[in-house]
Short mmCIF file of all heavy atoms in Angstrom, two decimals:
data_model
loop_
_atom_site.label_atom_id
_atom_site.label_comp_id
_atom_site.label_asym_id
_atom_site.label_seq_id
_atom_site.Cartn_x
_atom_site.Cartn_y
_atom_site.Cartn_z
N MET G 50 -24.79 -24.15 3.87
CA MET G 50 -24.85 -23.57 5.25
C MET G 50 -24.11 -24.53 6.16
O MET G 50 -24.44 -25.69 6.25
CB MET G 50 -26.29 -23.41 5.77
CG MET G 50 -27.12 -22.43 4.96
SD MET G 50 -26.59 -20.74 5.30
CE MET G 50 -27.83 -19.85 4.42
N GLN G 59 -35.85 -23.56 13.54
CA GLN G 59 -37.27 -23.70 13.90
C GLN G 59 -38.12 -22.96 12.95
O GLN G 59 -39.22 -23.51 12.55
CB GLN G 59 -37.46 -23.09 15.31
CG GLN G 59 -36.99 -24.02 16.47
CD GLN G 59 -37.36 -23.35 17.79
OE1 GLN G 59 -37.04 -22.18 18.08
NE2 GLN G 59 -37.83 -24.23 18.78
N GLU G 139 -32.79 -33.18 14.89
CA GLU G 139 -33.96 -33.02 15.70
C GLU G 139 -35.24 -32.78 14.76
O GLU G 139 -36.35 -33.10 15.16
CB GLU G 139 -33.90 -31.79 16.62
CG GLU G 139 -32.85 -31.93 17.76
CD GLU G 139 -32.99 -30.80 18.73
OE1 GLU G 139 -33.96 -30.08 18.71
OE2 GLU G 139 -31.97 -30.72 19.55
N LYS G 147 -46.11 -30.42 4.62
CA LYS G 147 -46.92 -30.55 3.36
C LYS G 147 -46.32 -31.51 2.34
O LYS G 147 -46.90 -32.17 1.62
CB LYS G 147 -47.18 -29.20 2.78
CG LYS G 147 -47.98 -29.19 1.42
CD LYS G 147 -48.13 -27.80 0.94
CE LYS G 147 -48.81 -27.81 -0.35
NZ LYS G 147 -48.96 -26.46 -0.96
N PRO G 232 -6.81 -14.82 6.95
CA PRO G 232 -7.57 -14.41 8.11
C PRO G 232 -8.11 -13.03 8.04
O PRO G 232 -9.16 -12.78 8.55
CB PRO G 232 -6.50 -14.54 9.26
CG PRO G 232 -5.48 -15.44 8.74
CD PRO G 232 -5.36 -15.26 7.27
N ARG G 280 -15.89 13.86 9.49
CA ARG G 280 -15.41 13.95 10.84
C ARG G 280 -14.64 15.23 11.07
O ARG G 280 -13.95 15.39 12.07
CB ARG G 280 -14.48 12.75 11.15
CG ARG G 280 -15.16 11.44 10.98
CD ARG G 280 -14.18 10.25 11.33
NE ARG G 280 -14.71 9.00 11.00
CZ ARG G 280 -15.41 8.27 11.91
NH1 ARG G 280 -15.62 8.74 13.09
NH2 ARG G 280 -15.89 7.07 11.52
N ASP G 328 -7.34 27.29 12.30
CA ASP G 328 -7.08 28.65 12.78
C ASP G 328 -7.29 28.63 14.33
O ASP G 328 -7.47 27.58 14.90
CB ASP G 328 -8.03 29.66 12.08
CG ASP G 328 -9.43 29.37 12.33
OD1 ASP G 328 -9.78 28.36 12.97
OD2 ASP G 328 -10.32 30.22 11.76
N GLY G 375 6.61 32.18 -5.54
CA GLY G 375 6.69 33.21 -6.57
C GLY G 375 6.81 32.56 -7.90
O GLY G 375 6.75 31.33 -8.04
N SER G 426 -13.97 5.75 -12.54
CA SER G 426 -14.18 5.09 -11.25
C SER G 426 -14.68 6.18 -10.26
O SER G 426 -15.57 5.90 -9.38
CB SER G 426 -12.85 4.55 -10.76
OG SER G 426 -11.85 5.50 -10.57
N ALA G 448 -40.55 6.73 7.15
CA ALA G 448 -40.72 6.48 8.59
C ALA G 448 -41.31 7.69 9.27
O ALA G 448 -41.56 7.61 10.44
CB ALA G 448 -39.34 6.13 9.25
N PHE G 483 -9.33 -13.92 -4.13
CA PHE G 483 -8.81 -13.67 -2.73
C PHE G 483 -9.96 -13.30 -1.83
O PHE G 483 -10.73 -12.45 -2.14
CB PHE G 483 -7.74 -12.48 -2.77
CG PHE G 483 -6.49 -12.83 -3.42
CD1 PHE G 483 -6.39 -12.73 -4.88
CD2 PHE G 483 -5.45 -13.33 -2.74
CE1 PHE G 483 -5.18 -12.95 -5.51
CE2 PHE G 483 -4.23 -13.69 -3.39
CZ PHE G 483 -4.12 -13.51 -4.80
N ALA G 511 -11.34 -13.37 19.65
CA ALA G 511 -12.51 -12.48 19.85
C ALA G 511 -12.55 -11.85 21.19
O ALA G 511 -12.20 -12.60 22.17
CB ALA G 511 -13.70 -13.33 19.63
N ALA G 514 -16.92 -9.85 26.27
CA ALA G 514 -17.47 -8.86 27.14
C ALA G 514 -17.69 -9.49 28.57
O ALA G 514 -17.90 -10.71 28.67
CB ALA G 514 -18.88 -8.36 26.58
N GLN G 566 9.67 -18.33 13.65
CA GLN G 566 8.40 -18.01 14.26
C GLN G 566 7.36 -19.06 13.99
O GLN G 566 7.26 -19.67 12.83
CB GLN G 566 7.87 -16.60 13.58
CG GLN G 566 8.81 -15.44 13.85
CD GLN G 566 8.27 -14.16 13.32
OE1 GLN G 566 8.66 -13.09 13.79
NE2 GLN G 566 7.52 -14.24 12.22
N TRP G 616 15.40 -10.07 -12.12
CA TRP G 616 16.42 -10.06 -11.11
C TRP G 616 17.66 -10.84 -11.55
O TRP G 616 18.69 -10.70 -10.87
CB TRP G 616 15.90 -10.61 -9.79
CG TRP G 616 14.81 -9.84 -9.23
CD1 TRP G 616 13.48 -10.26 -9.02
CD2 TRP G 616 14.88 -8.49 -8.70
NE1 TRP G 616 12.75 -9.19 -8.43
CE2 TRP G 616 13.59 -8.08 -8.15
CE3 TRP G 616 15.88 -7.56 -8.61
CZ2 TRP G 616 13.27 -6.92 -7.58
CZ3 TRP G 616 15.70 -6.30 -8.06
CH2 TRP G 616 14.37 -5.98 -7.58
N ARG G 720 8.26 34.29 14.61
CA ARG G 720 7.25 34.54 13.63
C ARG G 720 7.17 33.46 12.55
O ARG G 720 6.15 33.27 11.95
CB ARG G 720 7.45 35.95 13.09
CG ARG G 720 7.12 37.01 14.03
CD ARG G 720 7.00 38.36 13.30
NE ARG G 720 8.26 38.70 12.65
CZ ARG G 720 9.25 39.47 13.23
NH1 ARG G 720 9.15 39.82 14.45
NH2 ARG G 720 10.35 39.77 12.50
N PRO G 743 28.53 36.42 22.99
CA PRO G 743 30.05 36.54 22.99
C PRO G 743 30.59 36.08 21.58
O PRO G 743 31.61 36.67 21.12
CB PRO G 743 30.41 35.49 24.03
CG PRO G 743 29.28 35.30 24.91
CD PRO G 743 28.05 35.56 24.02
N LEU G 877 46.60 9.49 16.55
CA LEU G 877 47.75 10.32 16.17
C LEU G 877 48.06 11.38 17.31
O LEU G 877 49.25 11.81 17.20
CB LEU G 877 47.43 11.09 14.89
CG LEU G 877 47.25 10.18 13.58
CD1 LEU G 877 46.78 11.01 12.46
CD2 LEU G 877 48.54 9.35 13.33
N ALA G 882 42.49 5.34 21.22
CA ALA G 882 41.77 5.11 19.90
C ALA G 882 40.62 4.12 20.16
O ALA G 882 39.53 4.32 19.53
CB ALA G 882 42.75 4.59 18.86
N GLY G 915 45.30 -4.95 8.82
CA GLY G 915 46.69 -4.79 8.77
C GLY G 915 47.17 -3.46 8.26
O GLY G 915 48.43 -3.09 8.26
#
Side-chain angles (χ1 to χ4, degrees):
M50 298 287 187
Q59 283 183 315
E139 293 189 15
K147 176 180 177 182
R280 299 179 186 273
D328 60 1
S426 61
F483 290 88
Q566 298 183 154
W616 296 116
R720 291 192 298 271
L877 298 174

